[in-house]
């Protein structure tokens, strides 16, 4: 994982870290918890400018988020509803509820979502579907990403050769988020299957 990151940063410097973060937004398996502390460590060794790292990684976060925003915008509400109709256990009304929730809390979700593993990538799509004003989306994404990136870059800078400790600790948090999401999916599936069984019994009765 780290070899290609090191090569990219050695070849391009801080812009290389920005490119890696942009790709992380599009491909979440590339964790920012590795990219950012490693970039901070490189800055601590004098290989890159610290301010440049912060600016380029934040720019990469915004570019990656905008790409996903436009995926959502091009997909649009009608296509989203059409896809929802084909997904087992999912109702169109679920999408409507999500839409209403996002319209009410979308700004906070975009800002704080930048600091939550996995969700920082996914949240851009519904923002695009709902056509959140592009200026607002960009501003909130920049602010949230700058906070997240600064914390991890500075952690790598301060820890030096022990920068990988950041990945280890944050990895536990990421696993907790994944576990919560899986539990929520299982509960949702259980509730929806229970509703279907009740519906069948009612028809038979």
């Amino acid at each position: 994982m780290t070899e290609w990151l090191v090569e990219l940063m050695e070849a391009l410097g801080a812009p290389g870290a920005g490119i890696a973060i942009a790709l992380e937004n599009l491909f979440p398996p590339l964790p920012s918890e590795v990219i950012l502390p490693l970039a901070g460590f490189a800055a601590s060794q004098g290989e890159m400018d610290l301010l440049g790292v912060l600016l380029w990684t934040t720019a990469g976060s915004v570019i990656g988020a905008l790409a996903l925003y436009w995926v959502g915008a091009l997909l649009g509400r009608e296509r989203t509803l059409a896809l929802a109709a084909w997904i087992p256990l999912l109702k169109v009304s679920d999408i409507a509820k999500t839409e209403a929730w996002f319209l009410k809390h979308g700004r906070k979700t975009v800002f704080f979502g930048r600091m939550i593993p996995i969700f920082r990538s996914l949240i851009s799509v519904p923002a695009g579907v709902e056509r959140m004003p592009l200026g607002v989306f960009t501003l909130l994404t920049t602010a949230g990403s700058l906070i997240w990136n600064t914390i991890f870059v500075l952690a790598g800078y301060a820890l030096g050769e022990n920068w990988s400790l950041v990945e280890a600790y944050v990895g536990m948090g990421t696993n907790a988020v994944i576990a919560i999401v899986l539990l929520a999916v299982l509960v949702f599936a259980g509730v929806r299957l229970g509703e279907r069984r009740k519906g069948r019994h009612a028809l038979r009765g």
Side-chain angles (χ1 to χ4, degrees):
M1 171 66 75
T2 58
E3 290 182 6
W4 74 272
L5 286 173
V6 171
E7 291 175 0
L8 185 63
M9 292 182 195
E10 286 179 347
L12 300 177
I19 291 171
I21 288 295
L23 292 173
E24 183 262 346
N25 274 266
L26 300 173
F27 305 101
L30 298 174
S32 64
E33 295 88 345
V34 174
I35 300 168
L36 295 170
L38 179 57
F41 167 64
S44 73
Q45 301 301 301
E47 298 173 12
M48 292 189 289
D49 176 66
L50 180 60
L51 180 59
V53 169
L54 294 174
L55 292 176
W56 277 103
T57 53
T58 300
S61 296
V62 173
I63 291 169
L66 286 172
L68 290 176
Y69 173 94
W70 286 112
V71 168
L74 293 172
L75 187 63
R77 186 174 184 275
E78 296 304 319
R79 288 194 182 95
T80 302
L81 292 174
L83 286 173
W86 286 91
I87 298 176
L89 305 180
L90 191 63
K91 296 178 180 178
V92 173
S93 60
D94 295 326
I95 300 298
K97 291 175 184 175
T98 303
E99 182 180 42
W101 187 91
F102 191 85
L103 288 172
K104 185 177 181 180
H105 304 286
R107 295 190 177 195
K108 289 183 286 186
T109 303
V110 169
F111 176 75
F112 289 108
R114 295 296 157 203
M115 304 172 218
I116 302 175
I118 300 174
F119 288 99
R120 62 175 168 267
S121 297
L122 300 178
I123 196 59
S124 299
V125 177
V129 171
E130 297 302 329
R131 290 300 183 108
M132 173 181 280
L134 190 58
V136 173
F137 175 80
T138 303
L139 180 62
L140 293 171
T141 296
T142 301
S145 298
L146 180 60
I147 293 171
W148 175 267
N149 293 354
T150 299
I151 291 171
F152 283 88
V153 169
L154 292 182
Y157 189 91
L159 287 170
E161 293 183 358
N162 295 316
W163 65 270
S164 59
L165 290 174
V166 178
E167 178 192 1
Y169 284 110
V170 177
M172 291 187 286
T174 301
N175 291 336
V177 170
I178 293 172
I180 292 170
V181 172
L182 289 175
L183 179 61
V185 170
L186 289 173
V187 170
F188 173 80
V191 170
R192 193 48 48 82
L193 288 171
E195 290 176 352
R196 286 192 174 184
R197 286 172 186 165
K198 287 180 181 178
R200 287 173 186 167
H201 288 313
L203 289 173
R204 290 174 185 171

